[in-house]
């Protein structure tokens, strides 16, 4: 069934468009002025420049994580392995506003070298990020960050997120 149109004010129409996207998921970690850390799931996170190495994340301003990134100018980005669906689910379904997410699941963390937020152990790729630009964009804000330090595990597979469900990476598709 093909659907087309521009009913962008219709929530169901927008949801239909979103359900066609497939992404990886990263866990953003950030700290507030008291040094308290938070973690949230972010599907809109990606590398956008090799050298210098830059990443972008798109974060809604109502999330507790938002002012933490804005005020501190730094965040951790831990791209989920396919063993971390539960961490994504927990960190993306609850807000620090009313829940201690750290107590809901065993988030294995390790300290950053250059940033205050901890990073999530067991991820595909960890990036210590310093914000270099903040761009309000529609109902989200895009933070562009420079990578200060990266760590990756070449033996893990990414977690794939599509239509609200998690998947393993599928079989390679031949180019020809
Ligand atoms: C898989 C998944 C991906 C998400 N991706 C994003 C995203 O890209 N940007 C965003 O602003 N929120 C995203 N969210 C929603 C936030 O993670 C969620 O609202 C979270 O509770 C915010 O936590 P906080 O209020 O403690 O910051 C996602 C949620 C899930 C479950």
């Amino acid at each position: 069934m093909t659907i087309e149109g521009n009913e962008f004010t219709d929530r169901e129409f927008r949801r239909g468009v979103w359900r066609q996207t497939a992404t990886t998921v990263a866990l953003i970690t950030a700290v507030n002025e008291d040094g308290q850390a938070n973690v949230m799931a972010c599907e809109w996170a990606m590398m956008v420049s090799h050298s210098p190495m830059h990443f972008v994340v798109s974060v809604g301003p109502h999330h507790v994580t938002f002012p933490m990134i804005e005020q501190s100018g730094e965040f951790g980005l831990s791209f989920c392995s396919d063993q971390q669906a539960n961490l994504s689910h927990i960190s993306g379904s609850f807000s620090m506003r009313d829940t201690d997410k750290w107590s809901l699941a065993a988030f294995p963390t390790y300290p950053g070298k250059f940033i205050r937020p901890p990073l999530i152990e067991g991820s595909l790729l960890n990036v210590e990020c310093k914000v270099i630009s903040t761009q309000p964009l529609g109902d989200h804000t895009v933070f562009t960050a420079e990578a200060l330090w990266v760590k990756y595990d070449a033996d893990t597979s990414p977690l794939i997120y599509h239509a609200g469900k998690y998947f393993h990476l599928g079989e390679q598709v031949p180019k020809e």
Side-chain angles (χ1 to χ4, degrees):
M1 180 175 49
T2 303
I3 294 170
E4 60 179 308
N6 62 356
E7 295 93 59
F8 302 121
T9 52
D10 179 344
R11 191 173 183 277
E12 277 314 302
F13 180 80
R14 289 199 308 267
R15 198 166 162 74
V17 174
W18 169 75
R19 287 173 66 87
Q20 295 304 112
T21 67
T23 62
T24 55
V25 184
L27 304 181
I28 298 180
T29 39
V31 293
N32 65 16
E33 284 159 352
D34 301 330
Q36 257 186 310
N38 191 25
V39 55
M40 76 161 250
C42 183
E43 60 179 305
W44 293 339
M46 66 189 289
M47 183 175 168
V48 289
S49 167
H50 293 293
S51 179
M53 188 169 284
H54 290 161
F55 287 79
V56 292
V57 294
S58 181
V59 180
H62 303 300
H63 302 327
V64 173
T65 307
F66 181 85
M68 293 174 138
I69 298 176
E70 202 180 35
Q71 284 159 22
S72 68
E74 61 182 14
F75 60 92
L77 203 49
S78 298
F79 285 88
C80 290
S81 78
D82 59 2
Q83 306 301 304
Q84 295 179 315
N86 184 250
L87 301 188
S88 169
H89 176 63
I90 297 290
S91 65
S93 304
F94 297 92
S95 173
M96 184 180 174
R97 193 167 288 118
D98 42 47
T99 307
D100 174 13
K101 295 185 224 185
W102 302 104
S103 69
L104 294 183
F107 288 91
T109 61
Y110 70 93
K113 280 186 193 294
F114 295 103
I115 62 171
R116 282 176 304 156
L119 292 113
I120 309 298
E121 195 79 71
S123 301
L124 187 79
L125 167 67
N126 299 105
V127 191
E128 297 187 28
C129 292
K130 181 182 141 211
V131 175
I132 56 167
S133 103
T134 301
Q135 176 68 58
L137 201 67
D139 56 8
H140 279 58
T141 288
V142 174
F143 294 105
T144 304
E146 181 178 345
L148 301 180
W149 188 262
V150 298
K151 180 176 106 145
Y152 64 89
D153 183 344
D155 298 324
T156 54
S157 290
L159 181 66
I160 307 299
Y161 187 57
H162 171 61
K165 297 185 182 128
Y166 298 102
F167 298 87
H168 297 284
L169 193 64
E171 273 176 40
Q172 185 175 358
V173 178
K175 290 179 186 162
E176 291 163 6

